[in-house]
Amino acid sequence: MTMTPEETAEFVNRLYATCAQGDWDTVATMLTDDFVAYEADTLPMKGSYHGWEGLRTLYSKAFQQVDLGEIEPTGMALGENLAIVVINMHFADPDLAPAELCELFRFRDGKCCEIKPYYYDPAPFVAAHEAKLAKAG
């Protein structure tokens, strides 16, 4: 089942919203059984995360690493069975530079099977993580 660009964009926006609401039962219905999300070795939450439980763990782990301000999507590119979302991740401390990244979503049979973020430069996220650690003492 191939989704139209409109269906793909709506799906990605719904997945973001559903994760943000913590509705993991619904998230589970949106992912393939072999779903995997990856984080680069340069980030504090490095590794691969499998299934909806893995995405929940990653979501929790990633946002415990930094004091997040706002996630600002700035664009979306759509292809056959994939979407790329361009994001500026702003941190609570306005003195910290935002992290610029793209998240690649792959789809199979109308469900998400993979998410892979690509950071332009991981240093802003790492700096925000270090600032949170320093604040915690």
Side-chain angles (χ1 to χ4, degrees), residues 38-58:
Y38 300 98
E39 290 290 344
D41 288 343
T42 55
L43 296 168
M45 62 281 191
K46 65 185 174 187
S48 58
Y49 299 82
H50 300 267
W52 71 267
E53 300 96 340
L55 185 58
R56 178 176 64 183
T57 299
L58 171 58

Side-chain angles (χ1 to χ4, degrees), residues 18-38:
T18 306
C19 288
Q21 294 165 358
D23 183 358
W24 298 105
D25 290 337
T26 300
V27 170
T29 68
M30 301 173 76
L31 307 178
T32 61
D33 290 340
D34 62 345
F35 169 84
V36 63
Y38 300 98

